[in-house]
Amino acid sequence: MSRIPAERLVTPVRWLSSGLARAGAPTLAARLLNVLAKEAGEPRLKADLLSEAAELELSHGLTPRRLKAAYAAELSCADALYKEGQRAAAAGAAAKALLLAFHRIPHVDGLASPLAEDPKGFTAPIHRSRVMRVIAKPRGRKEPAAPPPDDRPLRLLVVNRGNANFLQLITERYEQHADVEVRTLDLATDPELAPLAKGLQRMMGRFAGGQGAYGRAIEEALRPHFDWADTVFVDWCSAGAAFLTLVDPGTTRVIVRLHSYEAFSYWPHITDFSRVDDLIFVGDHVRDLVTAAVPRLSADGAPRLHVIHNAMNLSVYRRPKRPEARFTLGLVGVGQVAKDPRWAIEVLRHLREQDDRYRLLLVGSGLNPEAGPAVRAYHDSLERDLARLEPSGAVRRVGQTGDVPAVLEEVGVILSSSVRESFHCGFVEGAASGAVPVTRDWPFFAGGEHSARTLFPAEWVAGTPQEAARRILACTATEEAWVKAGQAAAEHALSAWDWTVVRDDFDRLLLGSHRKVQQ
């Protein structure tokens, strides 16, 4: 008996899959599409079925079981289009593949990530793809970056795109520096550049050799900024960084800083790093992940790689603690699933089994359940947890505040419950305040050469809620022990991460040794 061709089964399988999804069985519905995709001989049909299965699971807040296969199939179609000379269509298919591969649900809105689990394996289809190799091809520059001028101040252009949250201390320092002239540029609000500095598909099309009119417009808009600046500092290795590397920077030195979320996005995979002189990471563990996922960063012609911590004025957090702070845990920042406040609640449960004086403060805006189905599911579980604990006062939500140092006066133990962080400023600020620091061994990086265990003192890090509770019980057993542990943490935080320390790293990178040091 001959088999029915897959093409003839598409309509009934799609109908059945849709019915299963409506009936609350999205995993089974996706599995049907994936099984049919295995039988499909035509590449476009195979890619469509895999994508449909993945999108179905994503729409229900699930990480697709065959996510890698789905985006790889789309890239194969992009390669075929490129081979036929259809550059615009190839760029569109490749953009579709990247949007699927780096959808926020598998990497941002969950407690695990296929990229974090296997960065080389998950991104392998990108590096095998012909069109992606063309897009990521190093174009370099006609002239190397010039050394800093000796006869006038260094002209520093500080660039962001709608997020300058980590730039204030850096910008202020060099605005006040006698040897530096500073300009700032926000690509999200600049009237000329904002319309140009967005659009994954057209950026990819330009990197692939198309989008000529777009390329000319970018050149005309960016050239005056590159001509003025000796050094361009781009915060966030996202759309802004990719956009700026669409043009030859001339003799201007280009520095890009990558935090954490960009590692789980497509932007590093299309940025032309041959036009970046220095790439800053906020932590060694993030550098390890990104260089594994983007092997171009370890090849000849790659930018110089640096690890420099975030700029933080930690001295303002050192204030006297209230007596009840000894039994008060604090978690600063709870607005993302990655912060995983339910882990902190589990720590609290273990503590309250021993002593019901322990309580937890949640500081910051909460999760937005409208952000997507995965966020909504986590939000609902968290709300159920809180409904059991808030009435007794075991947990209190502080909400967004403009005075974190004042809130930390109430906190005797600072937690980091996240699954991933580049640094976790709120946690370090808590340590600087004299709270006893207890951080989860961030699962996205745990077990690697670098992780929370290498960033922080070993005694600060716990692998499980039970281990965290044991450390807290030991450090808060007496007021003397609590005060001593908090003082040691504050001294370490200030000596390692205060701006008075970290600013020297920025001076060395931005100014070089020949510039006079300014306190």
Side-chain angles (χ1 to χ4, degrees), residues 161-488:
R161 186 174 175 269
N163 188 341
N165 293 344
F166 297 96
L167 286 172
Q168 182 178 349
L169 288 174
I170 298 169
T171 303
E172 288 178 353
R173 175 165 180 77
Y174 297 112
E175 284 177 337
Q176 298 164 9
H177 201 293
D179 284 336
V180 183
E181 181 181 351
V182 176
R183 288 183 183 176
T184 59
L185 176 63
D186 186 344
L187 295 173
T189 59
D190 183 87
E192 184 178 16
L193 290 169
L196 298 171
K198 58 185 178 181
L200 173 65
Q201 183 172 335
R202 65 175 177 172
M203 288 191 199
M204 292 177 70
R206 182 60 192 150
F207 279 124
Q211 294 282 347
Y214 176 54
R216 290 188 291 274
I218 297 171
E219 170 66 32
E220 183 177 346
L222 284 177
R223 186 54 54 197
H225 296 285
F226 279 125
D227 285 347
W228 176 83
D230 299 305
T231 298
V232 174
F233 181 95
V234 187
D235 207 19
W236 304 96
C237 187
S238 54
F243 174 68
L244 263 69
T245 62
L246 283 167
V247 302
D248 185 335
T251 59
T252 300
R253 181 186 180 197
V254 177
I255 302 172
V256 174
R257 179 165 64 168
L258 189 152
H259 292 263
S260 171
Y261 104 87
E262 310 99 293
F264 302 92
S265 78
Y266 40 72
W267 294 115
H269 297 276
I270 72 164
T271 298
D272 188 348
F273 287 109
S274 69
R275 291 173 169 173
V276 176
D277 300 284
D278 299 271
L279 180 60
I280 303 172
F281 298 93
V282 178
D284 292 290
H285 55 293
V286 179
R287 179 200 58 201
D288 294 349
L289 176 69
V290 175
T291 52
V294 188
R296 290 182 289 130
L297 291 172
S298 302
D300 292 339
R304 295 177 290 267
L305 307 183
H306 311 267
V307 174
I308 301 179
H309 299 303
N310 276 317
M312 297 182 293
N313 181 9
L314 295 177
S315 60
V316 300
Y317 293 91
R318 196 70 175 105
R319 298 183 183 182
K321 296 286 185 186
R322 300 177 187 179
E324 64 272 19
R326 175 179 156 199
F327 298 100
T328 303
L329 284 59
L331 181 62
V332 179
V334 292
Q336 303 171 39
V337 174
K339 300 294 184 181
D340 199 10
R342 298 190 71 203
W343 193 90
I345 289 173
E346 188 63 20
V347 174
L348 179 68
R349 287 196 182 106
H350 287 291
L351 291 170
R352 289 176 65 83
E353 287 174 359
Q354 305 295 321
D355 189 333
D356 62 10
R357 287 178 294 177
Y358 288 99
R359 63 193 184 110
L360 172 65
L361 290 187
L362 300 178
V363 184
S365 300
L367 291 162
N368 175 15
E370 301 305 314
V375 179
R376 186 180 306 113
Y378 188 95
H379 170 271
D380 292 348
S381 296
L382 176 62
E383 288 299 316
R384 287 192 291 271
D385 289 340
L386 295 175
R388 290 189 285 268
L389 293 165
E390 282 184 308
S392 67
V395 177
R396 179 162 66 91
R397 287 185 261 199
V398 176
Q400 194 66 28
T401 176
D403 192 357
V404 175
V407 173
L408 288 175
E409 291 178 19
E410 302 180 50
V411 174
V413 177
I414 189 71
L415 298 178
S416 176
S417 55
S418 305
V419 294
R420 63 171 172 83
E421 291 282 354
S422 61
F423 189 67
H424 201 170
C425 293
F427 174 70
V428 173
E429 290 162 355
S433 79
V436 174
V438 180
T439 178
R440 183 182 192 177
D441 189 8
W442 303 324
F444 278 31
F445 306 104
E449 181 180 356
H450 298 100
S451 64
R453 293 189 184 277
T454 56
L455 176 60
F456 301 120
E459 64 271 19
W460 292 16
V461 185
T464 65
Q466 295 91 333
E467 186 182 345
R470 287 195 294 271
R471 168 166 164 76
I472 294 167
L473 288 168
C475 290
T476 60
T478 65
E479 184 169 353
E480 181 183 4
W482 169 60
V483 170
K484 182 178 179 181
Q487 288 177 340

Side-chain angles (χ1 to χ4, degrees), residues 143-167:
E143 299 180 72
D150 291 321
D151 56 349
R152 59 169 173 79
L154 176 82
R155 293 173 179 166
L156 175 64
L157 179 65
V158 180
V159 181
N160 76 92
R161 186 174 175 269
N163 188 341
N165 293 344
F166 297 96
L167 286 172

